[in-house]
């Protein structure tokens, strides 16, 4: 079974500060973020403390072929920036998600954004899993991750049923 890891809200906040520093150091001034929901919503909001730019959002759902019996994995739009708001045309946007895992969702979203009239499209993820990727990111898009992590299942605090138990497990994992 896949190993698991628990991150607290404090862990997430610290990593996002590092992520913001990397984005700022790149020299590109991003005009707005596009959060990929649901996982990208809370990271984008925390990132806004450091980058001070507005947040737009899209939401997707991912269907894993291995578990549904379908041959291919597919991503569906739940909500989209369609039509693209005038305020975003020609602007540099930073696409924000919580995790770079298989890249299937990221590839889908970035290919859709690449068709639009944007300036630079950057990608910012909290956790970059070191593993073989199914999806491919479009060429030439600046990529930032807060930290690289092993290919373990990450338990995010916003998914917790019991946040105190979640934090206890996160503490324990630090001690081990
Ligand atoms: P990627 O392109 O960003 O690499 O994502 P991928 O399609 O591989 O991920 C499919 C779904 O699985 C995504 O959720 C992603 O957030 C979630 N996921 C991948 N690895 C982990 C992990 O280690 N922990 C948790 N908690 N989730 C993980 P989604 O369909 O976009 O749902 P949501 O963002 O609305 O929750
Ligand atoms: Mg997600």
């Amino acid at each position: 079974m896949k190993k698991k890891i628990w991150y607290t809200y404090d862990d997430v906040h610290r990593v996002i500060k590092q992520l913001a520093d990397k984005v700022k150091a790149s020299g590109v001034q991003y005009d707005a973020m596009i959060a990929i929901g649901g996982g990208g919503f809370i990271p984008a909001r925390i990132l806004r403390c450091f980058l001070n730019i507005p947040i737009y959002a899209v939401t997707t759902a991912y269907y894993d072929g291995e578990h549904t019996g379908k041959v291919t994995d597919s991503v569906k739009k739940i909500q989209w920036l369609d039509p693209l708001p005038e305020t975003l045309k020609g602007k540099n946007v930073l696409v924000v998600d919580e995790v770079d895992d298989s890249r299937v969702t990221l590839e889908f979203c970035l290919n859709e954004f690449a068709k639009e009239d944007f300036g630079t499209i950057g990608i910012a993820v909290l956790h970059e899993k070191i593993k073989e990727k199914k999806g491919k990111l479009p060429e030439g898009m600046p990529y930032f991750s807060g930290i690289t992590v092993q290919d373990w299942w990450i338990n995010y605090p916003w998914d917790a049923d019991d946040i105190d138990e979640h934090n206890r497990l996160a503490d324990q994992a630090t001690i081990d």
Side-chain angles (χ1 to χ4, degrees):
M1 221 181 69
K2 210 171 193 175
K3 277 190 84 167
K4 294 177 187 166
I5 188 157
W6 284 260
Y7 289 118
T8 65
Y9 281 111
D10 287 4
D11 295 329
V12 167
H13 206 102
R14 287 187 199 99
V15 170
I16 292 179
K17 188 175 166 71
Q18 291 179 37
L19 176 60
D21 288 342
K22 291 178 189 175
V23 173
K24 284 191 236 170
S26 75
V28 175
Q29 177 59 52
Y30 289 94
D31 301 297
M33 285 182 260
I34 302 177
I36 304 178
F41 290 158
I42 296 173
R45 174 59 185 87
I46 299 174
L47 200 51
R48 202 186 71 188
C49 304
F50 304 109
L51 299 182
N52 263 308
I53 52 175
I55 302 170
Y56 292 75
V58 297
T59 311
T60 59
Y62 177 73
Y63 297 93
D64 181 350
E66 283 171 34
H67 296 104
T68 55
K70 281 188 289 179
V71 183
T72 53
D73 299 339
S74 65
V75 181
K76 289 209 161 50
K77 293 176 178 175
I78 306 271
Q79 181 259 314
W80 208 255
L81 293 167
D82 190 15
L84 192 73
E86 284 296 321
T87 45
L88 277 183
K89 291 201 174 144
K91 297 293 169 70
N92 297 334
V93 291
L94 188 64
V95 177
V96 180
D97 208 348
E98 89 280 39
V99 61
D100 169 357
D101 181 42
S102 72
R103 290 194 175 160
V104 171
T105 303
L106 280 172
E107 177 184 282
F108 174 84
C109 293
L110 293 166
N111 281 338
E112 289 295 296
F113 297 143
K115 296 176 194 163
E116 300 285 354
D117 170 22
F118 285 125
T120 299
I121 301 175
I123 306 152
V125 297
L126 190 54
H127 296 124
E128 175 187 2
K129 285 194 200 171
I130 302 304
K131 64 188 286 186
E132 210 174 304
K133 306 288 178 179
K134 272 195 222 168
K136 201 171 168 300
L137 304 182
E139 300 273 317
M141 292 186 180
Y143 174 93
F144 310 92
S145 71
I147 48 165
T148 56
V149 295
Q150 284 178 274
D151 186 16
W152 295 349
W153 182 258
I154 301 166
N155 289 288
Y156 286 100
W158 48 82
D159 276 326
D161 178 46
D162 178 342
I163 192 68
D164 299 308
E165 173 66 2
H166 176 97
N167 289 344
R168 202 185 59 74
L169 289 164
D171 269 354
Q172 212 175 44
T174 318
I175 296 160
D176 284 346

